[in-house]
Amino acid sequence: MPHIIVEYTDHLNVDIEKLTIELHHTLCHQPTVKAHAVKTRAMPVKGTVVGEGKDHDKMIHVCLKLLPGREDKLRKQMEQALYDTTRKIAKDEHISITVETAELHEPSYIK
């Protein structure tokens, strides 16, 4: 724990393996994160529509799943670091990049 899940348009011209590794390393260097517990994965998504769906339906969505207890300020810091890393790797300005944090329900999470 935590988990990084990257969903991305399946036809992007982005090195997804590099992105996944860089996101993983970025999170490992954040306060309160234990590197040995981080799990990162990426999944291509077909049929994406972004905005009005006219020209560039390209997107990368990063979801950071965390157990409860981190303050909003720290969560926002993590989100920004993951966003900045994604934008650094995915240089195409037509790619919509979003990052969210989601809090896991601790009683129902087993590791």
Side-chain angles (χ1 to χ4, degrees):
M1 191 72 229
H3 292 265
I4 301 172
I5 303 167
V6 181
E7 297 173 319
Y8 63 95
T9 304
D10 66 344
H11 61 273
L12 293 181
N13 187 19
V14 174
D15 185 341
I16 297 299
E17 183 176 353
K18 180 178 179 181
L19 174 62
T20 305
I21 291 167
E22 290 295 320
L23 288 171
H24 190 91
H25 289 158
T26 297
L27 186 62
C28 286
H29 290 94
Q30 296 297 308
T32 75
V33 174
K34 295 177 178 144
H36 71 274
V38 178
K39 298 168 186 73
T40 305
R41 56 200 174 272
M43 298 174 288
V45 179
K46 294 184 176 292
T48 58
V49 179
V50 178
E52 296 177 4
K54 291 184 178 177
D55 297 319
H56 307 284
D57 290 329
K58 300 184 225 176
M59 49 127 304
I60 297 173
H61 179 72
V62 180
C63 180
L64 172 60
K65 294 188 173 192
L66 300 166
L67 287 171
R70 290 182 175 90
E71 294 182 14
D72 288 343
K73 182 178 178 182
L74 179 57
R75 291 163 62 108
K76 186 54 87 178
Q77 176 182 323
M78 291 176 176
E79 288 170 358
Q80 188 65 54
L82 294 175
Y83 178 88
D84 293 345
T85 298
T86 304
R87 181 51 71 197
K88 181 179 76 175
I89 304 295
K91 297 177 181 170
D92 181 345
E93 62 197 40
H94 294 109
I95 298 174
S96 172
I97 296 173
T98 53
V99 179
E100 72 168 319
T101 56
E103 197 165 271
L104 290 169
H105 182 245
E106 191 169 17
S108 64
Y109 180 77
I110 299 172
K111 58 179 179 174

